[in-house]
Amino acid sequence: MFGLNIKKEMLIVIGFAILALLSQSVRIIDVGRTGVIFNIADGVQDKPLKEGLHFLMPFVQTLIVFDTRINTYSFTKDGMDPGRLANPIVAKTRDGQIVGIEMSILTQMILERAPEAYQKLRTDYAPVLKAKTGKVMQEVIARHVADALYTEETRKAVSEEAKEYLSKSFAESGFKLNDLFIRRIEFSPEYIEAIENKQIALQKAQLAQIRKEIAQKEKLISIIQGEGNAKQVEVKGRAIQANPMVADLEYLDAIENNPDIPVITGLKGNTFVNLDRILEGTLQNKKAN
């Protein structure tokens, strides 16, 4: 009876041992992840494991699981995920201005290169990706002057340059850069004040130029009007020389439009208008007709 109890205990121990071995040998890789096998004898195996059920040699092979989904790393002052959060990148422009860059990158491990990534970076690869991003951004910003970073066109060019160089840098470690977003570029308060003063001065200069152009146009208009008046006087003078009655007729028109103008008629001496002569000429014209 005692022997049977020992056998039962041994069977139970063996059963637990088998279960333990099975638990160590069976591994499930979830969707969006890949596995890298480390063998005590051979090291890291070259072929990664895809999602699904896999059997390993207990105590000989170890499975390291990596996330192959797209992950976002943000360089900003605040965020929800400290593991994927870093401070804004500090960089110096070509003209020596210090700027702070808030941005985000979207990246993922290349499934086929998971074993290579493990050999180079082990499992703590996030700090390496952040460091690569900071280095590339500092190199790109150093090619541009601070004033240009104010424009949308230059920011787009900076983003494209950063994507190109960062893609190459990530690929060296077995990662793919899916996208890059520059959210904000911050300048020092002293530089912002200098830019504002420069813009104010530029606006004043533009306003002065506009006023100058208006004055020149007004002067030109006055000259043209003066030349027109002079031409009109010249033409009128020629008409009076050709026919003295023109002046009298113009005066009659003025009298008709303004009855307050005094008129002295019937005199041969100093008269404003000699109506006798005008009427005489008018009557002769009628007789002739």
Side-chain angles (χ1 to χ4, degrees):
M1 190 68 178
F2 181 73
L4 291 175
N5 290 335
I6 294 176
K7 289 182 179 180
K8 286 182 179 179
E9 290 177 357
M10 290 182 64
L11 289 173
I12 292 172
V13 171
I14 292 172
F16 276 114
I18 293 173
L19 289 174
L21 288 174
L22 289 174
S23 64
Q24 291 293 325
S25 61
V26 178
R27 286 287 185 272
I28 298 175
I29 299 177
D30 294 332
V31 177
R33 288 162 175 80
T34 187
V36 174
I37 295 179
F38 178 80
N39 193 311
I40 294 178
D42 303 328
V44 179
Q45 293 187 0
D46 295 334
K47 187 177 180 180
L49 299 181
K50 297 183 180 180
E51 54 196 41
L53 183 66
H54 299 275
F55 293 92
L56 306 178
M57 296 177 61
F59 309 110
V60 177
Q61 294 179 324
T62 302
L63 177 66
I64 302 97
V65 178
F66 287 99
D67 189 348
T68 55
R69 297 172 299 178
I70 297 176
N71 291 310
T72 302
Y73 295 91
S74 296
F75 300 80
T76 181
K77 294 179 180 178
D78 47 22
M80 299 300 295
D81 188 355
R84 293 193 174 92
L85 182 67
N87 292 325
I89 298 171
V90 179
K92 182 181 288 187
T93 62
R94 194 174 70 193
D95 52 342
Q97 295 296 328
I98 303 298
V99 299
I101 306 166
E102 293 194 25
M103 59 179 292
S104 296
I105 59 170
L106 278 68
T107 183
Q108 65 183 133
M109 180 180 287
I110 301 172
L111 191 149
E112 295 79 10
R113 297 185 60 186
E116 179 186 351
Y118 176 71
Q119 287 178 325
K120 291 181 177 180
L121 308 178
R122 297 306 178 187
T123 57
D124 193 18
Y125 51 82
V128 177
L129 299 181
K130 294 176 184 178
K132 286 177 176 288
T133 303
K135 181 180 178 181
V136 167
M137 288 305 302
Q138 289 171 345
E139 292 175 353
V140 172
I141 292 296
R143 299 189 184 99
H144 300 272
V145 296
D147 286 1
L149 296 177
Y150 262 97
T151 65
E152 187 66 27
E153 182 178 356
T154 303
R155 292 194 182 198
K156 184 177 180 181
V158 167
S159 180
E160 292 301 322
E161 286 181 51
K163 285 180 183 179
E164 179 182 355
Y165 291 106
L166 200 57
S167 294
K168 295 178 181 178
S169 181
F170 276 20
E172 293 173 357
S173 301
F175 287 81
K176 175 185 177 183
L177 178 68
N178 292 75
D179 214 338
L180 179 151
F181 303 98
I182 297 178
R183 304 189 182 281
R184 182 165 56 182
I185 298 180
E186 290 188 342
F187 299 84
S188 66
E190 295 78 13
Y191 182 74
I192 293 175
E193 183 179 0
I195 288 294
E196 290 175 350
N197 291 336
K198 185 184 294 184
Q199 290 177 340
I200 291 172
L202 178 61
Q203 290 173 355
K204 288 182 178 179
Q206 291 174 340
L207 182 59
Q209 180 64 27
I210 292 172
R211 288 175 175 171
K212 182 179 178 181
E213 292 176 358
I214 291 174
Q216 290 175 344
K217 290 180 180 178
E218 289 178 345
K219 182 179 179 181
L220 180 60
I221 291 172
S222 298
I223 293 172
I224 294 173
Q225 289 177 340
E227 291 177 350
N229 293 336
K231 188 69 175 178
Q232 184 178 4
V233 171
E234 180 184 354
V235 171
K236 189 180 296 183
R238 290 178 182 175
I240 293 172
Q241 288 179 358
N243 187 356
M245 292 180 62
V246 171
D248 296 335
L249 291 172
E250 285 191 352
Y251 192 74
L252 287 176
D253 289 337
I255 292 171
E256 184 178 356
N257 295 326
N258 189 354
D260 294 334
I261 298 177
V263 179
I264 301 174
T265 62
L267 298 177
K268 300 295 182 179
N270 297 327
T271 60
F272 287 97
V273 179
N274 192 335
L275 292 181
D276 292 341
R277 183 163 55 85
I278 294 174
L279 293 175
E280 181 183 354
T282 304
L283 293 172
Q284 288 179 355
N285 291 333
K286 288 182 177 179
K287 290 177 179 180
N289 294 329

